[in-house]
Amino acid sequence: SIRREVGRTEIIDDNLNPVWTKSILVRYIIGASQRFMCRVIDDDDLDDDRNDQLGDLSFFLSDLMNAPN
């Protein structure tokens, strides 16, 4: 499978309950098998070696698009 980063949200400092406001647009292709993955990282300054992965999730875009309101 091909993975590529399509966007990043803003960094929210010193908050245990962050609310992100940035939207990331993703092209949805009907009939295609498109898996979307989201990863949450504790960003520690500019040193990537110190960043901790807090969690992630993935789902198929078709499941989201076909879900009831």
Side-chain angles (χ1 to χ4, degrees):
S1 69
I2 298 173
R3 290 185 182 178
R4 66 180 180 90
E5 183 174 307
V6 294
R8 289 185 182 210
T9 64
E10 67 274 20
I11 296 171
I12 300 179
D13 292 322
D14 303 320
N15 190 326
L16 295 177
N17 297 297
V19 175
W20 294 274
T21 58
K22 180 180 177 184
S23 296
I24 298 171
L25 298 178
V26 178
R27 180 182 297 239
Y28 172 61
I29 302 169
I30 296 173
S33 178
Q34 296 173 272
R35 183 179 292 273
F36 185 84
M37 187 173 86
C38 177
R39 180 168 287 150
V40 179
I41 297 173
D42 179 16
D43 187 277
D44 296 313
D45 299 320
L46 299 176
D47 184 359
D48 285 339
D49 293 335
R50 293 184 52 207
N51 295 340
D52 300 316
Q53 182 175 331
L54 300 178
D56 58 15
L57 66 96
S58 67
F59 55 89
F60 286 102
L61 290 179
S62 60
D63 291 341
L64 178 65
M65 298 303 291
N66 295 321
N69 292 333

